[in-house]
Amino acid sequence: MKKRLLAMLLAGAMCASLAACGNSGDQQPADGGDTGAQAGGDSYKIDVILKTTASEYWQYVVAGAKAYDKEHDNVEVEVKGATSETAYDEQLNTIQTDLSSDYDGYVIAPLQADMVANLIKGQTKPIVAVDTKIDAPEVLSFVGTGNEAAGKKGGEAAVKLAKELGWEEIKCIEIAGVEGDTTNADRMNGYKAGVEAAGGDFLENEVQYADAVADKAVAAMEGIISKYPEGIAIICANNDDMAMAAAKVAANNENYKNTVFLGFDGIQSACTAILEDRLTMSVAQQGYEMGYKAVEAVVTKLDGGEIEAFIDSGADVVTKDNAQERKDTLQGYLDAVK
């Protein structure tokens, strides 16, 4: 009797084991991805330190990073940023503090790339730069826009449109971001190359630095109008906030009614402004993809994989023809991580 009972128990255990094996083989992840890391791999805590979170563009980077977190149960992402893009010491203090904390890897968008390079010397945990390069051996990859190539694309498109609007003498003045910032310099070089390649004149000596904020762009545009009352064919800016602010200053000036105002970022408010004729066009970089791909790169390295030294998140030019589609896409990104 005891032997028979033992045999029945063993048979039941074998059936349960086979059923469990069959279920695990049949189930697939909801998004079609690999469940290996989530089911049995290591858990990771990733620190994402951005230039700021106090602007629409950076919220898309935040959304991308959080989306990766949401899709991967074994990954926890913390996102933070300085109060503005000139709060240098604030960001440096955050980085210094977090480097000695219990994070497994880092994503950093530096306000001062050279200072950040000094801070991270000797670090062995994976570090990925996003939006702006950090020239340091500790940084494994840069995830972002090919800013010079993207700026060139925008410059060429702006000159083409200026010609269509009737400008014969096509001059371009840039309202730039933070002087010395490598991203700003790359975009400026791209604008210059694109404008000149298309037959325009980029007035390099007239560049107005406005620290990437709208208030200073207003003052810069007022100065441009004062110096060039007859109008300028193209005003390009380092970001959309500055481009929209500049366009608003010139809105009621007859000599600037056909000026092409070109922004950079392709944020929702810029798309709305383009649709409402308050901005002409914008070079759209893919902030959401940057945030997502940067965290993905850190996790890939932690899992023992290899990552590219440069991961291009892509860019496009937003005009009235595609602004609504772009706007809807961006809203979808934000809604998905609420």
Side-chain angles (χ1 to χ4, degrees), residues 33-283:
D34 183 5
T35 57
Q38 295 185 35
D42 294 329
S43 294
Y44 304 124
K45 187 176 180 182
I46 311 300
D47 190 27
V48 178
I49 305 173
L50 304 178
K51 291 183 178 182
T52 184
T53 54
S55 74
E56 186 184 324
Y57 164 70
W58 287 104
Q59 283 300 309
Y60 299 125
V61 183
V62 172
K66 287 186 174 180
Y68 190 92
D69 179 321
K70 188 175 181 180
E71 294 174 9
H72 298 80
D73 293 339
N74 67 316
V75 178
E76 178 186 353
V77 177
E78 287 189 12
V79 184
K80 59 201 73 171
T83 52
S84 75
E85 290 196 35
T86 54
Y88 309 119
D89 290 343
E90 180 185 346
Q91 190 193 53
L92 291 173
N93 288 337
T94 298
I95 294 171
Q96 189 169 34
T97 299
D98 288 7
L99 287 173
S100 60
S101 299
D102 61 344
Y103 296 103
D104 296 294
Y106 301 88
V107 172
I108 303 175
L111 287 172
Q112 293 177 305
D114 54 343
M115 297 295 288
V116 173
N118 288 328
L119 276 182
I120 63 177
K121 278 184 179 177
Q123 289 295 321
T124 57
K125 294 179 181 179
I127 299 175
V128 169
V130 66
D131 182 78
T132 300
K133 297 175 185 177
I134 304 172
D135 187 12
E138 291 82 2
V139 177
L140 304 176
S141 179
F142 166 57
V143 180
T145 304
N147 282 292
E148 191 164 338
K152 183 178 180 182
K153 184 183 292 187
E156 290 173 337
V159 171
K160 179 182 178 182
L161 181 56
K163 290 177 180 178
E164 293 173 2
L165 292 172
W167 289 93
E168 295 181 1
E169 189 176 25
I170 301 178
K171 294 181 179 180
C172 174
I173 295 178
E174 179 177 4
I175 299 178
V178 178
E179 190 168 9
D181 177 69
T182 55
T183 296
N184 178 78
D186 288 346
R187 291 179 187 176
M188 185 184 300
N189 290 336
Y191 280 149
K192 182 176 185 294
V195 167
E196 293 179 350
D201 183 13
F202 185 88
L203 303 183
E204 196 166 2
N205 293 332
E206 298 290 349
V207 171
Q208 306 289 310
Y209 287 96
D211 292 337
V213 295
D215 289 348
K216 292 186 179 181
V218 167
M221 190 64 211
E222 289 172 344
I224 292 170
I225 292 174
S226 178
K227 187 169 182 178
Y228 294 90
E230 72 281 5
I232 288 288
I234 301 168
I235 300 293
C236 61
N238 188 60
N239 65 29
D240 286 331
D241 290 336
M242 293 193 297
M244 289 186 288
K248 186 175 181 179
V249 171
N252 296 319
N253 189 309
E254 185 67 17
N255 291 334
Y256 280 81
K257 68 177 183 179
N258 288 327
T259 294
V260 175
F261 286 91
L262 169 63
F264 202 113
D265 285 338
I267 59 178
Q268 277 193 82
S269 54
C271 294
T272 300
I274 290 170
L275 291 168
E276 296 176 355
D277 294 320
R278 294 183 288 106
L279 182 67
T280 315
M281 57 177 57
S282 176
V283 179

Side-chain angles (χ1 to χ4, degrees), residues 5-37:
L5 179 60
L6 180 60
M8 291 173 65
L9 290 172
L10 287 172
M14 288 177 66
C15 289
S17 176
L18 288 170
C21 291
N23 286 340
S24 64
D26 293 339
Q27 289 178 343
Q28 297 294 328
D31 61 358
D34 183 5
T35 57

